[in-house]
Amino acid sequence: MRITRVRATPVAVPYRTDEVWAFGRRRGLVSLLVEVDTDEGLTGLGEAAAYPSADAVLGALRSMEPLVVGSDPLRIEQLVQRIDVVGTYHHTGSSSPAAAAVETACWDLLGKSCGMPVAGLLGGRFRDRVEFFHYVAAAEPGEVRAEGARAAGAGARVCYLKVGADDLGTDLARLAALREGAGPGMGIRVDANEAWSAGAAVRAVTAMEEYGLELVEQPVSGRNLPEMAYVRSRIRTPLLANEASWTRSSQFAVLREGAADVVSADQQMDGGLLNLKRSAGICAAAGVPVVKHSLGELGVAVAAAVHVIASTPNFRCANQGYGALLTDDIVKGDFAGPLENYSDGCLDVPTGPGLGVELDAEKVGKYAELYRESGAGFSFHDPLALSRAPALPKR
Ligand SMILES: [Mg+2]
C-alpha cells in the first residue's frame, strides 16, 4: 500500500460557553481533519489540534508531504522516523500535531486493512470504557454551581476548573460554588497553567484544599522542575504535570526530579499514538499514573486517544476532554462531541476497524464554512489576554 495524497480540512466548532485560562480565552476550537489517501482505495483519518495555529499546522503538513506521499502507511515506525529524522521534525513542539495526525491516519489504515480496531493492535482492550473529566468553565459562581450540578447529574466523577487567571478570592468563590453544586463525592481538579510563583502556589493550593481537590495541575512553571518538586513537597494534593511533560524526554525529566505525582501526556504534542503509549510506559516504569491531556479535540482525535487509553493499564485517572463544552462534533453517530454522548463521564471504545469513526460530511462542510468565515475568532490567540494577564507568574 502506498500513500497518494494528504488532505487537510480546518473546522471550527463552537463551545456552549467560553473557555478561559490563565493567559487566554476561546469560544470554540479549531481542528484540522487530515485524510491520508492510498493507492488501494483506503483512506486513513487523523486530526491535528490547531496549535499554535491552523496555518502553522497546514504549513507543517505541506512540508511533510514529500516525506509521506509514496510511503507505505503500514510501516508506521519507518514513516515517523522519516518525518522526524529526514524531515528534521525530531525537535517536537508546534510541528508535532501535524505529524501526529499523519501517524494516527496510518493506524486507522492499518486497522482498516486487517479489520481490527486500533486498540486491538496496541495490546487489546484493558478496559471497555474510557473516563473523561467534566470541564467546568471558569465563570460566575452561580454558573459554576449549576455546571457542577449538571456534572453530577450526568454521572461524572471528576470536574475540572481553571484557576490562576483571576485573584485568589475569585478562584475560591468559584471552587466553593463548584463543591456546592457538584456535591461532596465529586473529585475536583484545578489547573493553574503555570500562573503562580512557588510561594503563591503553596498559599493558593493550601487555601483551596479546604474544598477538597483531586489533583492540582501545573501550579508553577513547567520549565522549573525543582520548583515543582518544592511545591509538591509543601501541599497535600497530588501534583499533575502538564506544561512540564509535553514529550517523552520531558516526562522522563519530571519523574527523575520527583516533580509530579501524576503525569499528563498528549499524542498531539509528541508525534502520535505510539509515543503516547510509550509515555504511559515511562510513567509505568516510574510507578506513576498517566493522564491524557487535550488541547481541545473532536471525534477523530478523541477516538484515537481512546484506543490508546483503553489498551494501557496506567491511565487510571479521568482524562482531559471537552464534552461539557462542545456543542457538536464532526463524526457520525453519538461518539464524543457534546456531553449527551457520554455516559457517566465515559465513552465506549469503538469496535469497528481502525479508529472506528467516520466523518459526517454535512457537519464537516458546516464547520469548515464556519472556520472560513470566522476561524480566527476560535483560535488560541486571544487579543485581550495581554491586557488581562500582562505578566505571569503571580507572586
Ligand atoms: Mg493543563
Side-chain angles (χ1 to χ4, degrees):
M1 191 186 293
R2 297 286 156 187
I3 294 172
T4 54
R5 196 161 61 139
V6 178
R7 292 176 285 143
T9 310
V11 291
V13 178
Y15 292 145
R16 299 169 70 239
T17 178
D18 282 9
E19 177 186 24
V20 187
W21 65 102
F23 49 85
R25 172 184 289 266
R26 287 195 296 181
R27 60 189 177 96
L29 66 81
V30 175
S31 256
L32 291 99
L33 306 173
V34 173
E35 292 170 88
V36 173
D37 297 326
T38 65
D39 60 357
E40 295 188 12
L42 284 178
T43 293
L45 290 179
E47 179 187 333
Y51 180 87
S53 71
D55 285 342
V57 176
L58 285 168
L61 277 171
R62 261 196 306 277
S63 129
M64 284 171 196
E65 231 175 309
L67 305 161
V68 169
V69 170
S71 299
D72 181 347
L74 307 190
R75 295 191 180 202
I76 297 172
E77 292 274 27
Q78 194 184 76
L79 182 62
V80 169
Q81 280 290 298
R82 188 175 302 121
I83 293 172
D84 276 0
V85 179
V86 181
T88 59
Y89 275 103
H90 52 296
H91 291 119
T92 51
S94 53
S95 65
S96 180
V102 172
E103 192 253 18
T104 296
C106 292
W107 281 103
D108 191 32
L109 285 166
L110 178 55
K112 284 170 172 167
S113 72
C114 66
M116 287 278 287
V118 170
L121 303 170
L122 293 174
R125 267 182 287 160
F126 176 81
R127 49 180 73 84
D128 296 325
R129 304 201 314 162
V130 166
E131 186 182 11
F132 293 87
F133 64 46
H134 186 107
Y135 195 139
V136 176
E140 291 304 312
E143 294 169 67
V144 170
R145 189 179 298 111
E147 193 61 25
R150 188 168 87 108
R157 286 194 319 141
V158 176
C159 283
Y160 170 89
L161 179 69
K162 295 281 194 190
V163 293
D166 299 293
D167 61 83
L168 181 57
T170 304
D171 280 340
L172 290 172
R174 286 190 186 122
L175 201 52
L178 179 54
R179 175 57 72 205
E180 211 178 289
M186 183 69 75
I188 297 181
R189 189 180 304 178
V190 293
D191 184 0
N193 289 105
E194 309 180 297
W196 296 315
S197 67
V202 171
R203 284 192 298 277
V205 175
T206 302
M208 289 177 181
E209 281 172 341
E210 186 190 328
Y211 301 99
L213 298 178
E214 177 229 16
L215 295 171
V216 58
E217 185 169 330
Q218 205 61 58
V220 294
S221 171
R223 280 146 289 220
N224 191 340
L225 301 184
E227 287 286 80
M228 283 176 66
Y230 166 78
V231 171
R232 180 184 171 221
S233 75
R234 296 287 303 271
I235 59 178
R236 284 183 291 133
T237 306
L239 193 153
L240 170 62
N242 174 197
E243 282 85 349
S245 58
W246 289 131
T247 65
R248 285 153 294 151
S249 52
S250 58
Q251 290 146 15
F252 182 59
V254 165
L255 294 166
R256 200 175 46 213
E257 294 280 340
D261 298 279
V262 186
V263 166
S264 68
D266 187 338
Q267 81 267 20
Q268 300 276 354
M269 296 299 275
D270 198 20
L273 304 187
L274 207 45
N275 286 348
L276 180 58
K277 181 99 180 169
R278 289 186 173 114
S279 292
I282 292 168
C283 294
V288 165
V290 61
V291 167
K292 151 69 182 155
H293 171 267
S294 176
L295 293 159
E297 292 165 319
L298 300 171
V300 175
V302 171
V306 159
H307 285 284
V308 177
I309 297 165
S311 61
T312 311
N314 63 325
F315 281 95
R316 294 190 50 227
C317 307
N319 298 282
Q320 184 156 0
Y322 280 69
L325 289 185
L326 280 167
T327 54
D328 205 353
D329 208 307
I330 44 68
V331 291
K332 285 184 185 166
D334 297 331
F335 185 79
L339 189 65
E340 302 81 76
N341 294 340
Y342 288 72
S343 163
D344 296 335
C346 296
L347 289 174
D348 291 335
V349 183
T351 52
L355 298 179
V357 289
E358 273 182 79
L359 294 178
D360 181 322
E362 199 183 315
K363 288 184 174 180
V364 171
K366 174 180 169 185
Y367 295 117
E369 178 64 27
L370 183 59
Y371 173 78
R372 281 191 294 272
E373 279 172 7
S374 53
F378 292 82
S379 75
F380 279 105
H381 306 159
D382 171 15
L384 298 177
L386 273 179
S387 57
R388 197 171 57 243
L392 291 172
K394 293 178 180 170
R395 283 189 298 119

